[in-house]
Amino acid sequence: MTPTGLGVGLSSLLLCSGTASALVWNTFDGPGSPACHNVSRVHDATSVENMQSVVKSAIQSKSLVRAAGKGHMWYDTQCSDDSTIIIQTANVAGIYDFSLPEGAPHGSVLVDAGVTFFQLAEYLHDRGASVGYTLTNWNISFGGSVAMGAHRSSIREDSMVAAGVLAMDIIDGKGEIRKVERNESDDDWLAASTSLGLLGIIARIKLKIYPDSKVYAKQNTFDEKEVLEGDIYGMIAPYATANLWWWPYKRKFHQRYYDVVPANFTEQQGFQNTFSVTDLEAFAAKNLLNSGKYLPTSNMLMEEIFFGQWEKPNFREKTTNKAIDKWPVYGWNYDVLIGGLYPDQKAQWDYGLRAYTLELAFPVTMANAVLKRARGLFDEELKRGIIMTSTYRSGINIKFGRHYFDFLGQQTYNTSDGVDWSKGTIMFDFPSYRPSVGDEKRFNEPFLSGPVQSCEAKFDPNGIYRNVIGEILEMY
């Protein structure tokens, strides 16, 4: 399942007298998962200069412009309601100016907007380098990940992608290139670091790189109470990267953590499965998850199955493609931390397995209180006969972020409310399967919007304050 309705696709809708009056730009979940509703055209850019020319043309025609990368686009909110030109960046994917002198602790490389993490990981590994921990999923472009504040899960290390950026070229509202260099005292940098696309198209990025390293992955299983009452910060902070997976029906947690080992420590080359499934797995999962729309027992069974699968390493030996069945797992940096698709499998979304997610961010100093509050809400649903289950392959994802200052980032600090962000951010990411039957609402849809919806109906019975946030929460 795609946790946020991610990716790219296109369908022509809103026909008028047999002629298309507008295009609907879809995420790669396809029709029914729109990113933009009023697209005048889609341009497949071929170079940075080509993107500039399209922006300058749009200025003349008074059109709006939005960039679109390989994946992880905003569901239903990428564009305004006005006519918009989409510039696809996937084919603007040059990698150049690699520099990592022998024995140096770090170096740099320049990438174009459309380069994905997998493309760069292969390029760097061939040259004995990596981006360290400032990374994210294999199918996301660097331009999009920097603009949107994408991140790995770590408190000890910098893990926001933007934290690894040394400089970037942005195509501004005049179609000109503006170079913005890292400078924590410069407002231009603090705005560009997580810009949400408000400043323009990120065209090129200069990234900090490091000598490649081998890492291990290990996992523990905890009873829910051990985490809710425990030292959550202490479970995450010691490691290079770590997160928690919550299984609410089973009242269990998985703790997955990673750190560096010497390159000659082991010959194992583990490769993590990220989002890939077999034909049989997809068929069985889709039918069982769809039945969960009507039968709570299907969701309980699905969580049991997912939990059992996640107990074991989701890794194969890269050199033989054979399953690895014991923790810990060892391998090269990106292969273990992120990985990708197994060669004999397809991505979950290719089989129509889709999901929505709710992600909320809080200071780590509030971690126990936040998770206890979530459990309390789950228990309130239980009193109403709704058993809260995870219908996602790895449970509810509890991620963490080292504090990182910029204007719009999820992991920023020194906020005006005076809250203590010094220990970083905890992100509660609750994906739920989106059925392909009936009204396609998730089994827990009322839980996700119910409390606010009841107040909204009381305050605004005629809906005069209807807006895109309420639409995202499916309150109308």
Side-chain angles (χ1 to χ4, degrees):
M1 290 167 288
T2 50
T4 44
L6 312 174
V8 284
L10 182 64
S11 65
S12 180
L13 299 175
L14 307 178
L15 302 182
C16 179
S17 302
T19 303
S21 59
L23 299 173
V24 172
W25 175 252
N26 292 315
T27 73
F28 65 51
D29 279 335
S33 299
C36 302
H37 289 276
N38 188 6
V39 174
S40 59
R41 70 185 178 100
V42 178
H43 178 77
D44 290 313
T46 56
S47 67
V48 171
E49 293 73 22
N50 181 237
M51 291 193 291
Q52 287 183 263
S53 69
V54 174
V55 171
K56 290 177 180 178
S57 175
I59 294 168
Q60 296 300 315
S61 63
K62 294 182 170 52
S63 295
L64 300 181
V65 175
R66 289 292 272 175
K70 191 81 172 178
H72 274 61
M73 289 155 43
W74 282 346
Y75 169 74
D76 210 14
T77 54
Q78 186 179 358
C79 305
S80 76
D81 292 334
D82 298 319
S83 180
T84 302
I85 296 171
I86 295 290
I87 298 179
Q88 276 194 285
T89 64
N91 294 321
V92 186
I95 306 173
Y96 36 91
D97 291 356
F98 173 87
S99 175
L100 182 61
E102 186 175 351
H106 52 76
S108 64
V109 69
L110 203 62
V111 301
D112 287 338
V115 173
T116 64
F117 280 82
F118 189 70
Q119 290 168 333
L120 183 62
E122 284 192 328
Y123 175 96
L124 292 179
H125 180 67
D126 289 343
R127 291 159 178 79
S130 78
V131 293
Y133 306 104
T134 56
L135 43 72
T136 187
N137 286 337
W138 52 270
N139 62 335
I140 307 177
S141 70
F142 271 92
S145 62
V146 172
M148 300 306 301
H151 52 83
R152 179 70 183 172
S153 181
S154 179
I155 291 176
R156 193 185 85 187
E157 306 286 343
D158 283 324
S159 60
M160 264 189 64
V161 177
V165 175
L166 301 173
M168 64 182 93
D169 290 347
I170 298 176
I171 302 174
D172 68 12
K174 296 180 180 179
E176 304 297 335
I177 292 288
R178 292 201 188 198
K179 182 176 289 292
V180 184
E181 298 188 349
R182 173 174 289 278
N183 180 351
E184 280 76 8
S185 62
D186 178 15
D187 283 359
D188 285 355
W189 168 258
L190 296 174
S193 178
T194 305
S195 68
L196 308 183
L198 298 174
L199 306 185
I201 299 172
I202 298 175
R204 297 186 190 94
I205 304 166
K206 185 177 182 180
L207 293 165
K208 192 173 185 178
I209 59 175
Y210 305 87
D212 206 356
S213 59
K214 275 199 168 180
V215 299
Y216 71 82
K218 197 169 182 180
Q219 185 166 285
N220 295 322
T221 304
F222 293 100
D223 289 335
E224 186 180 85
K225 189 174 181 180
E226 293 180 88
V227 174
L228 299 188
E229 302 289 344
D231 179 9
I232 294 175
Y233 178 83
M235 298 176 72
I236 304 299
Y239 305 106
T241 176
N243 67 301
L244 300 171
W245 307 98
W246 192 0
W247 305 92
Y249 169 62
K250 292 188 66 64
R251 296 179 183 260
K252 298 282 188 181
F253 275 88
H254 283 132
Q255 174 205 27
R256 177 85 61 97
Y257 55 99
Y258 309 76
D259 220 326
V260 177
V261 294
N264 61 358
F265 181 77
T266 174
E267 293 297 317
Q268 189 178 66
Q269 294 189 43
F271 183 83
Q272 183 171 184
N273 170 10
T274 311
F275 304 133
S276 63
V277 292
T278 66
D279 294 351
L280 181 60
E281 286 172 336
F283 177 81
K286 189 170 185 178
N287 280 280
L288 188 56
L289 287 165
N290 275 336
S291 70
K293 169 78 176 171
Y294 310 105
L295 300 172
T297 51
S298 294
N299 296 324
M300 299 175 212
L301 177 58
M302 199 72 250
E303 183 174 311
E304 289 280 5
I305 293 171
F306 282 151
F307 177 86
Q309 290 178 330
W310 208 249
E311 280 271 274
K312 305 170 186 176
N314 57 317
F315 292 82
R316 288 182 182 177
E317 168 59 45
K318 193 172 185 179
T319 60
T320 64
N321 204 32
K322 292 183 178 179
I324 296 173
D325 57 8
K326 292 181 180 179
W327 300 103
V329 176
Y330 303 92
W332 291 104
N333 177 287
Y334 194 84
D335 289 345
V336 172
L337 296 179
I338 299 295
L341 299 179
Y342 286 160
D344 57 343
Q345 298 182 10
K346 295 179 183 178
Q348 295 166 149
W349 48 86
D350 288 338
Y351 294 100
L353 288 161
R354 303 182 176 96
Y356 292 130
T357 194
L358 170 73
E359 181 168 316
L360 305 172
F362 305 89
V364 169
T365 51
M366 297 171 59
N368 294 81
V370 167
L371 297 186
K372 286 178 182 179
R373 176 57 177 154
R375 169 42 71 190
L377 291 171
F378 295 165
D379 290 344
E380 288 178 22
E381 293 298 298
L382 183 60
K383 294 175 184 176
R384 297 172 45 232
I386 298 176
I387 299 173
M388 198 58 62
T389 57
S390 173
T391 53
Y392 186 58
R393 68 187 187 107
S394 50
I396 300 172
N397 189 0
I398 312 298
K399 299 173 286 190
F400 299 84
R402 181 183 176 88
H403 52 76
Y404 174 84
F405 187 72
D406 60 17
F407 288 151
L408 295 175
Q410 202 173 28
Q411 296 167 211
T412 196
Y413 55 95
N414 285 348
T415 52
S416 59
D417 56 9
V419 172
D420 179 12
W421 296 89
S422 62
K423 289 190 174 182
T425 305
I426 177 173
M427 289 154 274
F428 177 88
D429 182 3
F430 189 0
S432 294
Y433 176 72
R434 176 186 170 191
S436 56
V437 295
D439 61 8
E440 298 190 356
K441 290 184 181 294
R442 296 161 290 179
F443 87 94
N444 57 1
E445 201 85 41
F447 166 77
L448 296 171
S449 60
V452 178
Q453 189 174 34
S454 61
C455 295
E456 184 274 337
K458 180 170 62 176
F459 275 75
D460 183 25
N462 298 318
I464 66 169
Y465 295 114
R466 180 185 179 116
N467 60 67
V468 69
I469 301 301
E471 289 172 354
I472 293 169
L473 294 173
E474 298 190 0
M475 292 168 53
Y476 308 115

